[in-house]
Amino acid sequence: MLMALSPRTVILAGAMIALALITAGCWDRKEIEDRGFVLGMAIDHVTTAGPKGQYDLPHVTQEAGQRKYLITLELPRFRKQGEENSATGSDQHYIFAGEGESLYAVTRAIDAQTGLTLFFEDLQVLVISEAVAREGVDDLLDFFFRNAGIRRQVRVFVTPGRAEDILRTKLQVAEVNSTYIEKISHNVKLVPRFASISDLGDIAEAIQNKRPFFMAGIVTENGEVKLTGVAIFKDGKMVEKLDEWEIVGAKIIRKVLKGGVFTVANPANPEKIAAFELAESRIKVDSHIQGDKLSFSLEAEFVGNLVENAEIEQNALDPAFQATLEQALAAEFTRQTLAAYRKQQAMKAEIYDLAGLLHRQHPAYWKTVKSRWDDEVFPNTPLDVKITVIIRRTGMSR
Amino acid sequence: MRISLIQLFIICFVTSFGVSMASLPAAVAKSAHEDMWLSVLVGGVAFLFAVWVVTKLSSYFPQHSCIEYHRILLGPILGQGVNILLVILILLIPIVSVRSFVVAAKTYLFDITPPQVLSAAILILLWYAAQYGLQPIIRFQQLIFFSSHMVFFLIILMGLMAIQQRHYLPFLADGVLPVLKGAIPSWYAYTGPEIVIGMFYPFITRQKETFKWAAASVAALIVVYTVTTVIVQGILGPEETAHLLSPTIIAFRKVVLPDTFIERVDGYFLIFWIPVFIVCMLNWVYLAAFGIERILRLENSRPAVALLMPLILYFVIVPPDYQTASAISEWTNKLLIAWGAGILPLLLCIAWWKEKRRGAC
Amino acid sequence: MRKGNIEPKDCEEDVAAKLKRLQTMVSSARELEAGIEGLVAVLGEQSVDSGAYQVAPSLAKNLTSLREILADSYDFHFREFIITSINRKAAVVFLEGMANEVLINTHIIERLMLQSATGQTVYTPQAEYESIKDTLLTVGALNVVNIMEKAVKQLLSGDTLLLVEGVPSIIIIESRKMEARPISEPETESNVRAPRDGFVEVLETNISLLRRRLKSNNLIAKRFTLGVRSNTNIDVVYFRGIVNPRLVCEVERRLRKIKIDLPISTGFLEGLLEDHPKSIFPTMLVTERPDKVAAALVEGKVAILMDGSPFVLLAPSTFSDFFQTSDDYNEKWLVTSIIRFTRYFSALFAMATPAVFVAITTFHPGLLPTPLAITIAVARMNTPFPAFLEALFMIALVEILQEAGLRLPKTIGPAVSIFGGLVIGEGIVRAELISAPMIIVIAFTAIASFNIANYRINLIVRLLRVPLLSLGASLGLFGVMMGLLTLFVHLSLLESFGVPFLAPVTPRNLKYFSDLKDTVVVAPPSAMDERPEYLNPEDSQRQQN
């Protein structure tokens, strides 16, 4: 049948197909400089409803849905070599905004306004304002989970003020705001008081399992950004914040406290301080069931170095001094842990994955309490804390 | 045309791997939750039974391929009917797989490119490759096996960087039954060797050792699939895996090699998945063409290949939406289980009975 | 007839007679023309078949026949003289420029002329003839023929014919001396530590280069003559006892089927011998190095040498043969394994890098790390062309420069490189016609292609760049993978004299796994004691006689 075709015919047909493919094909070809790399996104409520400016540019027409959210996008500004390298921030990025309810429609409208095709695969940062967060985010976040182009490593933040300010602020550093924020987040490990950063993947998993989750907070002032406390979300709505002191406790229960500097009143002289740097931590959280009663136990061992002893008269190598210091530190950690735990119990939202722990260790029991976990069972479950601190080194001087 | 035992190993492995690797974890996670890796393991062990059955059956007819001995065992009419059903079953697999691959490629690699173009490109390549008989196909498979499959497996192992241990417990919380229920959809991932052995048994050089090598390839498959499932489960967690359509790809999106040229591992994953998939489909298409050649007693399989390509293209494009395509795929899975666990043992019993009768005479 | 009045009847007769005379003149002119044409046709140059002539006892007749056969060519010389010892007329016939005149003068003419009659009584012309051969001709190689065709063939090869009056035989004396290129370093394959002798255009010298390396009586050279008009000598060389006899039979069968006027070169011959003339991949290796040929012969391959070409064909050849150089075996095996590995990768990169770059930047920029993507986007910001056209233009430029560098005389070479560097380096980038990343990619591609050992594979790789680029520009990475897979499928289909082209890389079973030792890596010499199994040699272990 087809074998009867002469080679010439086959070659001609092949050449035609090839030419057709090259000229009319390439449906998805888009030059890289025509893509708009969206690096940061911010979601706010619309401040004043109604048209803005003479032609109401931010308005996005939708068949259904109100003019609810203000979506702000941050794109890097490409500057040619040879142009002046200005150090101020506003020359680093472009900001585009649109107002509507459907995120997809808004991003498409912004697409049409700029000459670039918006490209979300490099999205670094998503900032949500507290007002929006308190209303509920899981319907918003569906846009991110459903879209194949968005990665799950996008870092999500909550900010008490306007989210767009985070992106619009002129920073001291000559960098796009989102990239700068993403770089800051790498340093979270060094400072335990900053909240752990959660990304879209974690939030997706939590929403899927109908568990509470948390988001790190971020504020901006005078051209600087800073990570602050953590916001707890229950059922997709923000309920409470943990302040920086409670965050340490929360990290201990989540077993992610790995480093940081902690100060206590110096045992030798309560008016001076002593500082301890954590080097290694071994934390174990277990669930125990006795009869019908559930309790959790936390055992932790923190090993670190004495880095500052303000009472210079005191010999830092004195074993009694070290023992007292260790006990003081352990007591401080215990206080922080219990404070975090009790606050969560008061919030009736548990973000430490103790539910998962129970599920792993006692699956049968977990099934019986699954539906009542957050509201009834968890607030009444005690936590037994045993923390030991070991000071290994005291530095260069006595 | 002779097939050595190492080549048999490679053919069996390649024919299975690549059919449903992207969706395997999702199908299994729905029933088995944290024990999904165990389901995959159990499914593989169960599949060894089908491989043993078909090897035993073929050893009763060492010079005939399964098309011929179906006719011998069941009589000309019923046997021919079974043959035609078998060929249709074999054809269903590339139809379903090409469609799901094209859908995945469109979602993650392209946007506007029409799926017909992708399907046509794949099928034209398969047509060119299947023209010249089995020997070039075997050489091609060996080449791709040692280059792409090995690299692909290494890429999968890179996923170990992103797993979280909490996703694996509790173990056997709900008992063994969900594990067994989860093993059923995993059969679809293993299918391949039972049909390959049936069709190509007469060409194998040392037929006595066929089962050893086929079982070795199934064992390799079990290892690979279990490791993949373990990694996907570790990265995403069982609930998320059950929720997503192509969990393997999403899982690998989370794996990042910082500070390298292509730092996102899912790029490598998708690139190396293409040859794995193509060579797997090539085998299935050739099996179908070979079946047709034997049914119609043609000289070689070239006209059959030429005939099949437009047919497959049509059926790949025809299903209008995702649900129809996934329904067809589930039906294919059921039919394959019926074939491997139902019809093949039946044929074995008939052959054994006939052999006993002949021996008695 | 009275003058004056001319009567009409007389005029008519006059004109008629004149007309008649004119007609006869025309017809005789025509006859004359036909006659002359006939004569010219008879005298004209048609090819003369030397087989139609016989060797006659008469010297004069033989000489006449030879002159007719050779049409009195300018370089056809003959010298008649008298053999004093038997007092007979004789003649020496040779072609100037191909015969060793010193040998003719001192060993033939001098011996025959100066030797006086010995006084021995010889009785028959035949015995006299024998005595010339046995006692007078002090030459090393001679033989006697009585067929004119054979004698003429030998004459045309440079031998000298000795014709004696009264004997219907011709003595052929080997006296070849031709100017030929001295043995020099092979120019197309340069190596660092390998021997520097290369084949030349003379077949006998080439065979001697092989025999010097393989001093075994089992090294067989079978002669064929190819070319209806050229009678070119072709030698098929193989090692008896190692080579698979079916392979030799196949090679000989194909050679015998060839019917051409003149095999211009071994490339031409290869086109007539190979399995897949329409494929772009060569299935026979062409080499200028005797050490390579000697190694191949000992492995069990067959070599085909042609007179007039310094390139030798090796059959069968597989994929990994095209990536091996002699240097691989002259250095430490670990080092050369890595180098050989990079050769394979260079081939792949030289083919696929522009395609992959265009595909990733235009279809899948999400695969790049964000800083890299932004850098490339910034670099491409003001360039007017899409990436595909930029790549195409640069590839065309590189191809033109490479070909120009090859064909131009050596004196203009440096100007080409300066011009190329100026145009590309300065002009294009400054004018921002082509973005800097694209130039880097294309430069890398060109450099990678220089690393490929075999010039023909280099050409193929350069050819395949453009289709892969088009596929990459239309279907992204998917297209590039499909293109590469089509290439691999094509390689799987190829066969070379019954051996699959990919044979050493795809071993059939465990026995054949030892083939892998010399493909991607170089095994240490102590481990290489088996011959490649894909050749099915008669004798698989090396180091046996």
Side-chain angles (χ1 to χ4, degrees), chain C residues 462-538:
Chain C
R462 276 155 56 183
L463 182 70
L464 287 176
R465 260 182 222 157
V466 176
L468 270 182
L469 179 66
S470 325
L471 274 174
S474 52
L475 285 175
L477 275 176
F478 179 78
V480 175
M481 288 309 285
M482 297 302 273
L484 287 176
L485 283 175
T486 313
L487 184 68
F488 288 155
V489 167
H490 184 72
L491 284 177
S492 316
L493 297 176
L494 293 175
E495 282 195 4
S496 170
F497 287 88
V499 172
F501 191 64
L502 285 178
V505 190
T506 57
R508 262 181 50 96
N509 51 34
L510 280 175
K511 188 169 71 121
Y512 284 43
F513 260 72
S514 59
D515 291 349
L516 282 171
K517 279 196 281 203
D518 202 15
T519 55
V520 181
V521 295
V522 183
S526 48
M528 294 227 254
D529 57 350
E530 286 144 347
R531 295 187 221 282
E533 285 294 336
Y534 61 84
L535 292 169
N536 291 318
E538 292 220 336

Side-chain angles (χ1 to χ4, degrees), chain A residues 1-3 21 27-28 121-122 148-153 201-202 204-205 208-209 353 359-360 363 367, chain B residues 34 107 110-114 117 127 166-167 169-170 173-174 236 239-240 243 250 253-254 256 264 266:
Chain A
M1 182 181 43
L2 274 146
M3 308 310 142
L21 209 61
W27 293 264
D28 278 306
E121 276 196 49
D122 284 304
I150 298 187
R151 297 179 174 268
R152 279 155 177 251
Q153 282 101 324
D202 304 332
E205 201 181 328
Q208 188 58 25
N209 296 350
D353 200 32
H359 173 54
R360 285 192 289 282
K367 270 210 257 295
Chain B
E34 269 89 9
T107 318
F110 299 104
D111 225 353
I112 322 177
T113 309
V117 171
W127 184 5
R166 59 196 168 101
H167 289 141
L169 298 168
D174 299 324
L236 292 178
E239 277 76 19
E240 189 78 2
H243 179 67
I250 305 273
R253 287 200 141 203
K254 287 197 133 199
V256 168
R264 293 164 187 170
D266 66 307

Side-chain angles (χ1 to χ4, degrees), chain B residues 38-56:
Chain B
L38 202 58
S39 286
V40 172
L41 198 76
V42 166
V45 172
F47 186 73
L48 273 175
F49 170 68
V51 171
W52 178 81
V53 165
V54 85
T55 314
K56 205 79 177 48

Side-chain angles (χ1 to χ4, degrees), chain C residues 323-341:
Chain C
F323 287 90
Q324 293 171 348
T325 60
S326 306
D327 260 343
D328 290 346
Y329 305 97
N330 291 322
E331 275 295 340
K332 290 266 190 195
W333 64 276
L334 202 54
V335 175
T336 53
S337 290
I338 297 176
I339 294 180
R340 195 183 269 185
F341 219 66

